[in-house]
Amino acid sequence: MVSDFILLGFPCRWEIQIFLFSIFFMTYILTLLGNMAIVCAVRWDHRLHTPMYILLANFSFLEICYVNSDVPNMLANFLSRTKAISFTRCLLQLYFFFSLGTTECLFLSIMAYDRFLAICRPLHYPTIMTTKFCNGLVIFCWVYGFLWFLIPVILITQLPFCGPNVIDDFLCDLGPLLTLASACVPIPGTVLICGTMSSLLIFATFFYIIGSYTLVLRAVIQVPSAAGRKKAFSTCSSHLAVVFLFYGSVMMTYVSPGSGQAEGMQKFTTLFYSVLTPFFNPMIYSLRNKEMKDALKKVLGGSPN
């Protein structure tokens, strides 16, 4: 039985490994700083103590946790000669990586619901989206996110990894692990369950978000003033940009895990949503939001205009 796995990462010459390490290390640090700035801005600016920004702060904190579930090990792997990870650490990384990804899907859905209420039901918004209800939604996202992927991980711990232990990726991902296990014994049931749960989560949350924003768009078009339409679009466009960045790459990877993709494609799509999307999120949310820009200026020591 396999006691550890070999994460190939990005096989190339040592000089290129050091170069990639430098690039991803800077991306990692900037991701942490950008998302921490949003968390601090919402925490310290009382004008941002509203459900929309409370959800955004929790989402930024989630992104910090998300990149910490895979990037530190990826960085260490660049400098490692063996590139080995123990079986237990591999499964723990798989669980936290997918649980945080599930939580991200739920948060994006809740943020879409918040925008739907604010634009389509403005008179009812203060009575529905109270601070207590918003905090309840936040707790639901975190708890349910870490419960959803328990069954697939438990099933994977029962699989026989009997020989091949090389994973052509930079983290312990679902597809490569199912491929390694299927080289020992047929596992159609496990593949079906993992694929079904991944697809159900991804498509249910994605279509809910698209449905919510279809109603939002219809309501925005009916706003009489151009300034009102512009403000409504600005608050929604940032969220939609993050949704399409995240879901576009996730769907390519997890709708059918274990089915195999073009060589290198899964590694690229995983890199995109697990490293690059959290990096872009602070810029997307801050550049198009005047209140957030003013709060960030205060946090960074400047004075808002």
Side-chain angles (χ1 to χ4, degrees):
M1 300 298 293
V2 170
S3 60
D4 56 21
F5 295 100
I6 306 298
L7 294 174
L8 289 183
F10 303 91
C12 52
R13 296 202 320 270
W14 176 251
E15 295 81 5
I16 300 178
Q17 294 268 339
I18 297 299
F19 174 73
L20 291 175
F21 170 84
S22 303
I23 295 296
F24 287 121
F25 179 74
M26 287 301 301
T27 302
Y28 173 62
I29 296 299
L30 291 174
T31 301
L32 294 182
L33 292 176
N35 285 287
M36 286 173 61
I38 289 180
V39 173
C40 293
V42 175
R43 174 67 179 84
W44 293 336
D45 194 328
H46 292 284
R47 295 174 302 171
L48 302 184
H49 289 183
T50 61
M52 173 183 171
Y53 291 107
I54 291 173
L55 293 174
L56 177 57
N58 276 274
F59 184 74
S60 295
F61 177 71
L62 169 64
E63 295 290 57
I64 294 173
C65 298
Y66 198 34
V67 295
N68 277 313
S69 69
D70 64 306
V71 176
N73 187 76
M74 179 182 73
L75 294 174
N77 209 28
F78 279 119
L79 307 178
S80 172
R81 295 292 185 181
T82 62
K83 302 185 182 301
I85 183 172
S86 68
F87 183 82
T88 302
R89 280 183 58 205
C90 185
L91 290 183
L92 282 174
Q93 184 186 60
L94 176 75
Y95 173 66
F96 281 102
F97 181 74
F98 273 86
S99 295
L100 291 166
T102 301
T103 306
E104 181 152 347
C105 291
L106 296 175
F107 261 109
L108 289 172
S109 301
I110 296 302
M111 292 166 79
Y113 174 66
D114 174 73
R115 291 301 84 204
F116 165 77
L117 285 179
I119 295 174
C120 299
R121 302 288 186 272
L123 297 180
H124 298 92
Y125 181 81
T127 57
I128 297 177
M129 189 59 74
T130 61
T131 302
K132 181 178 179 181
F133 182 61
C134 181
N135 290 333
L137 291 176
V138 168
I139 294 172
F140 166 79
C141 289
W142 283 102
V143 173
Y144 199 79
F146 275 81
L147 290 177
W148 179 259
F149 211 74
L150 265 179
I151 293 176
V153 169
I154 291 173
L155 290 175
I156 291 172
T157 61
Q158 309 302 314
L159 297 179
F161 294 92
C162 60
N165 69 333
V166 178
I167 298 176
D168 187 13
D169 211 333
F170 59 89
L171 56 79
C172 290
D173 211 345
L174 181 61
L177 283 174
L178 292 177
T179 301
L180 291 182
S182 64
C184 301
V185 294
I187 53 169
T190 302
V191 172
L192 178 63
I193 292 173
C194 292
T196 301
M197 293 191 69
S198 298
S199 300
L200 182 62
L201 172 76
I202 292 168
F203 283 115
T205 53
F206 179 73
F207 285 122
Y208 174 80
I209 293 170
I210 296 302
S212 298
Y213 275 105
T214 300
L215 298 175
V216 167
L217 181 61
R218 189 175 66 178
V220 168
I221 292 174
Q222 297 173 356
V223 173
S225 67
R229 288 195 299 270
K230 183 178 178 181
K231 183 176 181 180
F233 272 122
S234 67
T235 60
C236 299
S237 58
S238 300
H239 185 232
L240 275 176
V242 173
V243 166
F244 284 113
L245 281 174
F246 179 76
Y247 277 93
S249 52
V250 165
M251 284 182 177
M252 293 178 64
T253 307
Y254 298 115
V255 169
S256 183
S259 61
Q261 296 185 27
E263 186 176 355
M265 180 56 70
Q266 176 164 325
K267 195 183 302 185
F268 174 76
T269 54
T270 305
L271 180 70
F272 189 85
Y273 74 80
S274 65
V275 179
L276 298 182
T277 302
F279 171 72
F280 290 127
N281 282 355
M283 292 183 283
I284 292 172
Y285 278 112
S286 61
L287 291 177
R288 298 187 60 85
N289 189 301
K290 185 179 184 301
E291 291 85 358
M292 182 55 66
K293 283 193 288 187
D294 290 345
L296 287 173
K297 287 178 182 178
K298 290 176 63 176
V299 170
L300 298 176
S303 58
N305 294 327

